[in-house]
């Protein structure tokens, strides 16, 4: 079998690309992992038996070299001001030179609400919407992956980290609800699609957690998971941005994206429920409580 191309294979937030590489290699499938730089993360990928290539997703020659001979392609890239250029470069190379049997694109669930008359509150979401339009026009055999919000996202990294400090979940949700999904579940779905793409061609796979929860329910799941009292602290949005988000020292583009997501959460735009994880993998999505138990040491467990 020819190799499966996985881009963004050394990503940090959620590390979906890295997990996809590891999952595919455990199945004995050949993988070519595209990374931005040669470092210890690239070495770890190479240790799985994957072929590792270094390249820039915005450079046509780099993408063409990485994609050569790969009939299945996964495009994933972290939140970045260069996301649109990278995605369109990858799609253009696939259409002109490779014509893969599947092009799996990592998108985001709320882009389904955008349209040509909607400027899009988050610059990242707007880029993701534009990429979905271009992929539709391309004629490529696309599978769109639309997770709601990762549990590993800086929004929840900040909101849940206070559990270890003072036993609170600090988020600006008000009465809104949210259904975050674990990156491991998203990677498992991508793995299944790349391993056996035929049933999913042309489909949009929406991925959420198993339940949509408000702030007190998030705290209750945390309390049950960690075996100690955890309460929900509802924080005004501006205060949360200043106290909890700014200390993460995110790039300007990422900060705009995450702060916008926080506002959209408060507007109840993430109150979603989809069963994509179960439909593809055959098992339910990981709940907040289960995720916290798996990573209890990070939350003072």
């Amino acid at each position: 079998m020819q190799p499966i191309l996985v881009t963004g294979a050394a990503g940090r937030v959620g590390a979906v690309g890295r997990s996809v590489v590891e999952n595919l290699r455990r199945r004995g499938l050949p993988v070519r992992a595209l990374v931005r730089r040669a470092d210890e993360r690239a070495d770890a990928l190479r240790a799985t038996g994957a072929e590792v290539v270094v390249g820039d997703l915005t450079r046509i020659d780099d993408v063409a070299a990485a994609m050569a001979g790969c009939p299945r392609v996964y495009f994933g890239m972290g939140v970045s001001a260069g996301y649109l250029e990278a995605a369109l470069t990858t799609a253009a190379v696939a259409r002109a030179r490779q014509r893969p049997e599947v092009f799996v694109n990592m998108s985001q669930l709320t882009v389904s609400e955008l349209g040509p008359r909607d400027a899009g509150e988050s610059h990242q979401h707007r880029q993701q919407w534009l990429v979905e339009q271009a992929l539709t026009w391309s004629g490529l055999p696309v599978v769109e992956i639309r997770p709601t919000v990762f549990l590993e996202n800086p929004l929840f990294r900040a909101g849940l980290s206070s559990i270890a400090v003072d036993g609170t979940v600090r988020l600006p949700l008000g009465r809104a609800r949210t259904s975050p999904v674990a990156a491991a579940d998203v990677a498992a779905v991508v793995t299944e699609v790349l391993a056996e793409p035929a049933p999913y061609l042309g489909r949009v796979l929406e991925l959420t957690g198993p339940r949509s929860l408000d702030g007190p329910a998030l705290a209750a799941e945390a309390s049950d998971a960690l075996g100690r009292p955890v309460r929900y602290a509802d924080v005004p949005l501006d205060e949360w941005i200043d106290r909890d988000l700014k200390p993460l020292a995110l790039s300007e583009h990422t900060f705009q994206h995450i702060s916008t997501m926080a506002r959209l959460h408060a507007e109840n735009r993430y109150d979603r429920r989809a069963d994509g994880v179960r439909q593809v993998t055959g098992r339910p999505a990981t709940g907040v409580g289960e995720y916290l138990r798996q990573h209890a040491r990070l939350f003072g467990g």
Side-chain angles (χ1 to χ4, degrees):
M1 180 178 174
Q2 293 173 295
I4 299 169
L5 177 63
V6 177
T7 74
R12 295 183 184 277
V13 177
V16 171
R18 184 181 68 207
S19 295
V20 169
V21 171
E22 293 170 349
N23 292 346
L24 291 171
R25 289 301 304 138
R26 277 195 288 269
R27 295 185 180 205
L29 296 172
V31 179
R32 182 175 297 156
L34 178 60
V35 299
R36 185 68 179 84
R37 58 183 59 85
D39 57 17
E40 68 281 356
R41 291 173 296 167
D43 292 339
L45 292 169
R46 196 172 286 110
T48 69
E51 174 190 358
V52 178
V53 295
V54 178
D56 184 338
L57 283 168
T58 66
R59 295 178 61 88
I60 289 176
D61 289 346
D62 287 0
V63 175
M67 196 179 296
C70 295
R72 302 176 189 179
V73 176
Y74 165 70
F75 177 81
M77 183 179 182
V79 175
S80 168
Y83 170 87
L84 179 61
E85 182 180 4
L88 293 185
T89 298
T90 306
V93 170
R95 186 175 186 276
R97 302 191 185 187
Q98 186 65 27
R99 288 288 181 177
E101 61 184 80
V102 66
F103 188 104
V104 182
N105 178 53
M106 180 59 66
S107 188
Q108 206 272 337
L109 200 149
T110 55
V111 304
S112 62
E113 300 177 355
L114 302 182
R117 296 186 179 183
D118 188 338
E121 296 94 333
S122 159
H123 301 328
Q124 180 70 23
H125 285 163
R126 170 54 41 173
Q127 291 186 81
Q128 289 171 316
W129 181 82
L130 287 168
V131 169
E132 286 201 14
Q133 308 316 300
L135 287 173
T136 298
W137 305 330
S138 73
L140 290 168
V142 175
V143 179
E144 294 287 0
I145 308 294
R146 288 185 184 166
T148 174
V149 54
F150 289 163
L151 276 163
E152 295 83 354
N153 185 285
L155 175 69
F156 284 95
R157 189 198 328 161
L160 298 175
S161 64
S162 54
I163 294 175
V165 178
D166 59 9
T168 64
V169 174
R170 286 178 50 87
L171 285 169
L173 294 180
R175 297 183 178 180
R177 304 166 74 90
T178 184
S179 54
V181 62
D185 287 343
V186 178
V189 168
V190 173
T191 301
E192 293 295 335
V193 174
L194 289 169
E196 191 62 49
Y200 308 103
L201 294 179
R203 291 179 57 183
V204 175
L205 301 177
E206 296 190 341
L207 312 179
T208 74
R211 292 170 293 281
S212 190
L213 307 169
D214 61 12
L218 285 169
E221 288 220 2
S223 183
D224 289 344
L226 300 175
R228 66 179 191 277
V230 176
R231 65 182 181 86
Y232 174 63
D234 188 40
V235 187
L237 178 61
D238 289 343
E239 178 185 331
W240 184 84
I241 289 173
D242 287 339
R243 174 178 165 178
D244 297 73
L245 189 60
K246 285 184 177 178
L248 298 181
L250 304 172
S251 70
E252 181 180 352
H253 179 85
T254 304
F255 177 81
Q256 192 274 340
H257 176 57
I258 301 301
S259 58
T260 300
M261 288 181 71
R263 177 171 59 79
L264 296 179
H265 264 82
E267 295 173 5
N268 208 36
R269 299 271 287 277
Y270 284 82
D271 184 9
R272 305 294 191 90
R273 176 71 181 87
D275 204 28
V277 173
R278 183 193 295 271
Q279 290 170 2
V280 176
T281 68
R283 59 172 177 76
T286 303
V288 172
E290 182 181 353
Y291 174 81
L292 292 173
R293 280 191 292 272
Q294 292 172 356
H295 304 279
R297 62 182 181 81
L298 300 177
F299 306 101

